[in-house]
Each structure stands twice: as C-alpha cells, then as structure tokens.
Amino acid sequence: MIILAHESSCDETSAAVIEYDGEKFNIRSNIVASQIETHALYGGVVPEIASRAHIEAISQITYEALETAGVSLSDIDLVAVTANPGLIGALLVGVNFSKALAVANKIPLVAVDHIKGHIAAAYLTEDKPKPPFIALTASGGHTSIYLVEDYNDIKEIGSTRDDAIGESFDKIGRLLGIPYPAGKGFDALAKEGFIKATGDEVRYYSLYKKSAAYKDAAMALPSPALNDGTLDFSFSGLKTAAINLLHRFEQRGEELDHALFAAKYTFEVTEAVAKKIKAALDLYPDADLAISGGVAANSHLRARLSEVAKEKKRNIFIPPISLCGDNAAMIGAAGYFEYLDGNFADGSLNASAEDSLRKI
Ligand code: KG4
Ligand code: ZN
C-alpha cells in the first residue's frame, strides 16, 4: 500500500510517500519545505504569510516527493492530509490540494488530525509502540498527554491550561536573544549551563539539583506541573516569573548568566513533564511511552523521560529528530489507520482549527 501525504497546518509544507508492507512502514520520501527563515523576521508565525508560502511550495514538493520515492500518481493507493487542528488558512492549502488530487485521480482520501499524526511518528521507526501506550505530544502549539488505547481510540488525559511548552521555550528564548524558533538554541544553552553548574560533562543533569545554581534564590522559578492531582500543566506562571526575573536583574544592573538561567528554566520544565508522565504511567500499568512533537527533540527531555521509562520498567519510543517536527510522513502513517477503519473523506472535506481528540 502506497500513501501520498500532505501536511500544511503551520509553517512547514510537507509531502511524503510512505509504504506499508504489511508489517512496517517504509518512508520512500519525506520532503519538508520550512518557512522558518521568513517567520523568524517577525519572531513568530504570521498566518497570512504561511498560507501564501504553502500555496507557492505545495505543487513543487509533491513532485519532489513522488520523484524521490520513484513513483507516479497511478501508483498511489491512498491520499492523506492534515485537516485539523492548525492555522485555518494554512490547513486549507493542503486540504484543497489533496482533495483535488484525490478526486481527479480517483484515489481514496483520508483526513488526519495533526496530533494523531505526531503520535503516529512513532510508528515509522523500526521498533514501534503497540497500544495501549501513553503518548506525550510536545510542540509549539500543543502540550498533551494521551492514552492511546487503540490506533484510533485516543483520549487526552492531561494538557496545558494555557501556553504550550514549545511556545514557552520560544518566548523566553527570544528574551535571551535566541532566534526563532528558540527551542534548539535553548537546548544547547541549557546544556552549557548544566555543565557550568556541575562541572561534569556527562552526568550534568542528574547532578544539577545539588548545584549552587539550582539552589540560588535569585533564580527561583515555579514548576509548570499543576499540583492538583491532574495530569495538567500551566506554563503561563512560569513565563511571568521568568520575565519578572529577567526584569529584576536588568533593573538592578546585574548581569544574568544566560546559560545558568536556561538550565534552571529547562530543569523546571523537564521535571514537570517527568512528574506528570510518571503519574500517567502509574495510572496505566500496562502502557509503554512514546514521545513526539518538535519539543521531543529536546535532548534533556529525551534523556530524562528515558530514565523515567526505565524506572517504571516500560519501553520508550522516541522518533528521530527528523520525524519530531511537522512532516507529512507521520500524517501518512496516521492516515493508514483511518483507512483501516474506513474513515474516508470526500469532496466535501473542509479544514478545521479544532482538536478532534477527546479529553477525559
Ligand atoms: O512540532 P513542531 O515542529 O511544530 C508545531 O506543531 O508546533 O514544533 C515546533 C516547536 C518550536 O516551539 C521549537 O522551538 C520547538 O518545537 N523545538 C524545541 C527543540 N527543537 C524544536 N524545543 C526544545 N528543545 C529542542 N531541541
Ligand atoms: Zn506539529
């Protein structure tokens, strides 16, 4: 079965050809045209610019995806497209393109929820999770914990009540002078800070809690893990505290060590996620763990959650960094399961900004 997939929900236009051989998925091509450089000028995604850039890129990257995969449209058995959630104008470009292509070539079409796509990134690796598993999706727009009971039976069991985790790295990173999107630079700066605080180039994360930098009251920050018995987060309190802290240093004319600050901020975020993931694994003792989304590229989070999984004696599935961010291959994998359940779309398919996964 050969699937052509499209993704255009935010600031990457992507087309991919993936194949399911009865046992596993093979990525034949996964072309991603990123608009990051354009949006970096504005410090964030400008929806109108994103829509236009998707329109300009989508035909070309579809040709590239087919050519790289060595297939033509007549070989395609299924077209999958992200239909929600995301920027509505951006989503419409992918939806209309895929719809036209599927209808004109009489190829079955499935609509994919972007978050289901992120979760499905884990299915594209050699060693893939089998439901039931706990999935963390951590990206620029989302921070949620899901119980994946079956491929299409996914319930949200925890989420952020305000800002998303990636958005929080991007906003605070911007104040530290890290270019948008700040996640990757923040990751590196935090590593520098952890090493500086502990003097250890290998065990820096686990030693950090004992360091003077962690205990420094001038650098105190609240945890984004809500202390109310839920699996929910709140990043807005952390953001405000971090902004106030930066202002305080500025007003006093004191120099803040950016690396130590990035380490402290990253530690609070990572520990909060680790705490909620531990609680989720305790609630579902048969479930393994999979993580996905752009923030799943964070080296500290990857290492810490691997440790949590080991401690709880569960398997952890972490996609390679190339599949953590937005890409169409993950949409194709999620689309395969929509196809198996007979969830076909037709010419009436529309894009929507709404999340389709239920919260319990
Ligand atoms: O999944 P994604 O590509 O797009 C969305 O659906 O949002 O995620 C992008 C987010 C950005 O906020 C970016 O700063 C963050 O992922 N990110 C990271 C890292 N690499 C990317 N955050 C923390 N550490 C990283 N290494
Ligand atoms: Zn995404």
Side-chain angles (χ1 to χ4, degrees), residues 9 114 118 139 142 293-294 325-326 330:
S9 67
H114 181 76
H118 272 302
S139 73
H142 294 268
D326 292 347
M330 69 185 197

Side-chain angles (χ1 to χ4, degrees), residues 7 9-12 36 114-115 118 138-142 165-170 180-188 292-301 321 324-327 330:
E7 153 64 36
S9 67
C10 189
D11 57 353
E12 342 265 358
I36 281 175
H114 181 76
I115 301 301
H118 272 302
S139 73
H142 294 268
I165 187 168
E167 182 187 358
S168 113
F169 279 125
D170 292 339
Y180 175 86
K184 198 173 166 196
F186 212 112
D187 189 341
S292 59
V295 184
N298 188 277
S299 64
H300 314 291
L301 191 68
I321 289 180
C324 284
D326 292 347
N327 69 88
M330 69 185 197

